[in-house]
Amino acid sequence: MSSRPKLDYRAKTHLSYFAYACHRFSGLLLACFIPLHFLMLSQSLRGAEGFQKSLTLTDLWVFKFGEWALVILLAVHLAGGIRLLMIEFGPWKGLRKGWIQLSILFAIVCGLLFLYFAN
C-alpha cells in the first residue's frame, strides 16, 4: 500500500496545482539549461576563435527563441518561489489565487520586456 495520497481530478484542476506544476517544470528546464550554459562558457577557454565560433550559433532563430523562453522560465520560477515563500512565512492561511495570477502576469510582462529591449 502506498503512503502517498492519491489526488482526485478536482485537486489537479485547481489553479494552485497549475502554479505548482509550472514552478516545478520551470525549475527542471532551468536545471537542464545550466550544463549547456557552462558548455558555451567553456568554449572561451579555448581562445577567442573558439568562443566566437560558438557565438555564431546564437544568431539562429532557435537560440533567440531559447533566450526568450529562458527569460520566461526564470520569471515563472522566481514568481512561483516568491509565492511559496509568502505562503510559508506569511501570517495568512490558504492558497491565494490572486498571487498565482500575479505571478503569471509577472512572467508575461518579463517576456514582453525582454522582446522589447532585445532588439
Side-chain angles (χ1 to χ4, degrees), residues 45-67:
L45 297 175
R46 297 183 181 183
E49 293 101 18
F51 188 61
Q52 190 61 37
K53 189 189 305 184
S54 64
L55 279 182
T56 57
L57 286 174
T58 61
D59 290 334
L60 297 173
W61 70 271
V62 174
F63 284 92
K64 299 292 181 189
F65 177 77
E67 286 176 347

Side-chain angles (χ1 to χ4, degrees), residues 70-117:
L70 180 66
V71 169
I72 294 289
L73 287 172
L74 284 169
V76 165
H77 199 70
L78 173 71
I82 290 172
R83 179 189 152 269
L84 285 175
L85 286 173
M86 291 173 72
I87 289 172
E88 288 290 324
F89 298 114
W92 38 79
K93 301 276 190 240
L95 301 170
R96 306 284 186 221
K97 285 186 179 182
W99 293 348
I100 298 169
Q101 294 164 349
L102 186 65
S103 65
I104 293 169
L105 180 66
F106 174 74
I108 291 171
V109 167
C110 284
L112 291 175
L113 284 173
F114 178 77
L115 286 177
Y116 179 73
F117 289 119

